[in-house]
Amino acid sequence: ELKVEQNPLFLSMQEGKNYTIYCNYSTTSDRLYWYRQDPGKSLESLFVLLSNGAVKQEGRLMASLDTKARLSTLHITAAVHDLSATYFCAVGGPGGGADGLTFGKGTHLIIQP
Amino acid sequence: KAGVTQTPRYLIKTRGQQVTLSCSPISGHRSVSWYQQTPGQGLQFLFEYFSETQRNKGNFPGRFSGRQFSNSRSEMNVSTLELGDSALYLCASSGDRSGSSYEQYFGPGTRLTVT
């Protein structure tokens, strides 16, 4: 059974600081996703990582994937208040394509001025 | 291009009733997946449909069922509702499995409350 663990689950940080969210998963997968969810809203896709060593960046967010370690990271650089949200990582099943995703429990991020 | 749409957005039902939720994927997408989100269990995969066929199913009881129509629109049905079925139900659409599109685009969700 595929398991996905995120840490930390809660994170309060100050604007301007850097931090990293970690996502570990238990079995081989070819797809790793990062999503953002604002309160009462749906999921917004941030990144899809498909290969070992993949790195993607968008604004102050950068995601990376190490398939050998079964680890992905989401790094936040010089955080701003607008990045406050819950961040989920999700891993695709071994069947490839659009199989159901297994989600981590989410990291609730609060960025304080 | 229009995004994923879900109807209704909010629903209140009574225990024992049944409910049907609808999802229209992005035009051209043939895969629709359904997820349940609750504070206790988080986001859980329900099932996935592709070209009117259920390809994958999560670990949910048989009270949860779905179908997909020839235009790729999908419905999910929950029979004999229980209080624990109160959740945000999200559907996601994605492109052809054989292609390079692994992206899953989520709809706004249907908030179901069972009383």
Side-chain angles (χ1 to χ4, degrees):
Chain A
E1 180 190 351
L2 176 57
K3 296 191 180 197
V4 180
E5 289 189 3
Q6 274 182 251
N7 69 83
L9 297 182
F10 297 95
L11 178 57
S12 179
M13 55 192 292
Q14 288 185 317
E15 280 191 322
K17 300 291 187 182
N18 303 332
Y19 209 84
T20 301
I21 300 170
Y22 297 88
C23 175
N24 289 91
Y25 54 99
S26 60
T27 61
T28 301
S29 172
D30 61 350
R31 295 164 290 137
L32 191 294
Y33 301 76
W34 285 98
Y35 290 94
R36 167 181 172 149
Q37 187 176 40
D38 292 297
K41 304 289 187 180
S42 185
L43 298 173
E44 174 190 352
S45 178
L46 296 174
F47 303 107
V48 182
L49 304 170
L50 302 176
S51 61
N52 187 42
V55 177
K56 290 192 175 181
Q57 182 165 4
E58 182 71 35
R60 301 175 187 273
L61 301 177
M62 183 174 71
S64 66
L65 178 61
D66 181 343
T67 58
K68 294 179 182 177
R70 296 176 187 160
L71 170 68
S72 179
T73 61
L74 180 66
H75 186 74
I76 303 159
T77 302
V80 293
H81 178 68
D82 286 351
L83 290 178
S84 297
T86 299
Y87 293 85
F88 292 93
C89 69
V91 178
D99 284 339
L101 301 181
T102 301
F103 282 82
K105 291 189 180 298
T107 297
H108 184 51
L109 175 63
I110 297 172
I111 299 170
Q112 299 176 351
Chain B
K1 197 182 244 190
V4 180
T5 59
Q6 291 187 245
T7 56
R9 294 291 312 279
Y10 302 92
L11 205 48
I12 299 175
K13 290 285 189 179
T14 304
R15 272 181 301 175
Q17 289 185 316
Q18 74 164 14
V19 66
T20 299
L21 312 181
S22 180
C23 171
S24 293
I26 292 170
S27 178
H29 284 187
R30 293 193 286 165
S31 171
V32 174
S33 299
W34 289 89
Y35 294 84
Q36 181 196 63
Q37 185 176 27
T38 60
Q41 299 300 317
L43 279 151
Q44 294 184 285
F45 170 67
L46 280 156
F47 27 65
E48 185 236 352
Y49 287 86
F50 180 84
S51 292
E52 303 178 65
T53 301
Q54 186 183 90
R55 289 197 301 194
N56 293 288
K57 190 177 189 305
N59 190 24
F60 277 81
R63 299 185 298 107
F64 292 81
S65 63
R67 59 178 174 167
Q68 187 179 35
F69 302 94
S70 59
N71 62 357
S72 294
R73 188 178 70 86
S74 177
E75 289 181 346
M76 67 163 281
N77 184 276
V78 187
S79 62
T80 319
L81 284 166
E82 300 177 0
L83 294 178
D85 298 332
S86 295
L88 179 66
Y89 290 88
L90 294 164
C91 88
S93 82
S94 61
D96 189 335
R97 173 186 261 197
S98 62
S100 60
S101 174
Y102 290 92
E103 191 75 56
Q104 291 210 17
Y105 300 89
F106 282 82
T110 294
R111 173 80 59 186
L112 172 65
T113 302
V114 182
T115 62

